[in-house]
């Protein structure tokens, strides 16, 4: 379909939906009002290679100075080397529903695993903002996390210092099969603190 046209229309019609847009598509977008970020890549840090020296972020900042750049990551050991390449750094780490993980797993992942992983990304990229992930419902794993597991992971992303919260993913059929109401209540509570979370700095949490 006409992706640039669709994104342009989102802006001109003041749609409530926003988008992460790659430079290839963004160059043909005529109204960027609903473009949240210039999306430069996801899980870019799997290997320490030439993308460490990429000029993509700098070029995107020069071409669209009013739109922040974004890249996603997956590797806690490499994230320090990739931090600062883009305006916003993304990171995910999940501990429920047999979600894939970058670390060798020989036992059950601890509940605080997402917090520790995400906090490391945040501390490396600070003072620039991080968008951190929590599980939601996805076909990427063999079964879906319970609402208490999702609530815990959302909370860990927030206390890790997230400036943006990303939920992976939104498999609509699973919303009907699970009790989403406690999760919705938690997200509304976070929304009520949106400005404090945006302008403040969450110091973290000690797990005993």
């Amino acid at each position: 379909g006409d992706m640039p046209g669709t994104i342009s229309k989102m802006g001109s019609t003041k749609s409530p939906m926003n988008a992460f847009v790659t430079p290839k598509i963004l160059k043909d977008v005529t109204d960027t009002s609903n473009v949240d970020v210039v999306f430069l890549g996801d899980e870019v840090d799997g290997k320490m290679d030439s993308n460490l020296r990429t000029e993509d972020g700098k070029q995107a900042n020069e071409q669209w100075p009013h739109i922040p750049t974004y890249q996603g990551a997956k590797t806690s050991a490499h994230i320090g080397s990739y931090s600062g390449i883009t305006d916003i750094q993304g990171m995910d780490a999940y501990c429920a529903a047999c979600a894939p993980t970058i670390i060798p797993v020989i036992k059950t992942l601890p509940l605080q695993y997402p917090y520790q992983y995400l906090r490391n990304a945040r501390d490396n990229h600070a003072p620039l903002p991080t968008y951190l992930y929590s599980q939601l419902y996805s076909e990427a794993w063999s079964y879906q996390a319970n609402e208490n597991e999702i609530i815990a992971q959302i909370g860990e992303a927030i206390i890790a210092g997230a400036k943006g919260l990303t939920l992976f993913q939104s498999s609509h059929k699973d919303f009907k099969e699970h009790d989403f109401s406690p999760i919705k209540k938690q997200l509304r509570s976070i929304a009520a603190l949106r400005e404090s979370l945006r302008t403040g700095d969450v110091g973290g949490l000690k797990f005993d």
Side-chain angles (χ1 to χ4, degrees):
D2 179 16
M3 189 63 71
T6 299
I7 295 168
S8 299
K9 188 174 181 180
M10 286 166 58
S12 63
T13 60
K14 299 184 177 358
S15 167
M17 303 290 289
N18 286 22
F20 285 24
V21 185
T22 64
K24 182 178 180 181
I25 293 174
L26 189 56
K27 64 182 177 60
D28 295 320
V29 173
T30 56
D31 187 330
T32 61
S33 302
N34 285 47
V35 177
D36 274 349
V37 300
V38 184
F39 183 81
L40 298 181
D42 189 28
E43 299 188 346
V44 300
D45 59 332
K47 295 181 179 180
M48 301 276 280
D49 56 23
S50 59
N51 64 5
L52 275 170
R53 295 179 293 278
T54 180
E55 293 288 317
D56 290 352
K58 180 181 177 183
Q59 291 171 359
N61 285 139
E62 291 172 350
Q63 190 166 357
W64 299 284
H66 60 297
I67 307 174
T69 54
Y70 171 96
Q71 66 181 4
K74 64 176 182 177
T75 312
S76 193
H78 295 171
I79 191 58
S81 298
Y82 284 84
S83 295
I85 292 176
T86 52
D87 299 311
I88 302 167
Q89 178 66 58
M91 175 63 85
D92 58 6
Y94 312 130
C95 67
C98 288
T101 174
I102 197 70
I103 63 172
V105 177
I106 58 174
K107 61 179 181 179
T108 303
L109 287 169
L111 177 63
Q112 65 267 35
Y113 158 69
Y115 168 73
Q116 294 170 341
Y117 211 88
L118 299 176
R119 185 73 188 185
N120 181 51
R122 177 263 176 202
D123 286 348
N124 273 283
H125 196 63
L128 295 172
T130 47
Y131 285 6
L132 305 179
Y133 286 66
S134 167
Q135 275 178 277
L136 192 55
Y137 304 128
S138 172
E139 296 179 353
W141 29 87
S142 57
Y143 65 96
Q144 303 305 324
N146 296 326
E147 58 269 19
N148 57 321
E149 294 173 313
I150 294 173
I151 286 170
Q153 291 181 86
I154 291 173
E156 290 186 51
I158 296 301
I159 63 175
K163 294 298 183 183
L165 177 65
T166 307
L167 302 177
F168 190 88
Q169 291 175 317
S170 299
S171 176
H172 283 212
K173 67 179 181 64
D174 290 301
F175 283 93
K176 299 177 182 178
E177 299 172 7
H178 294 81
D179 185 6
F180 188 68
S181 56
I183 302 169
K184 187 186 297 184
K185 186 180 295 185
Q186 182 193 29
L187 293 174
R188 285 176 174 166
S189 297
I190 294 169
L193 296 171
R194 178 182 297 160
E195 190 63 12
S196 296
L197 294 170
R198 186 185 71 82
T199 60
D201 189 20
V202 178
L205 181 72
K206 181 180 179 181
F207 282 81
D208 292 324

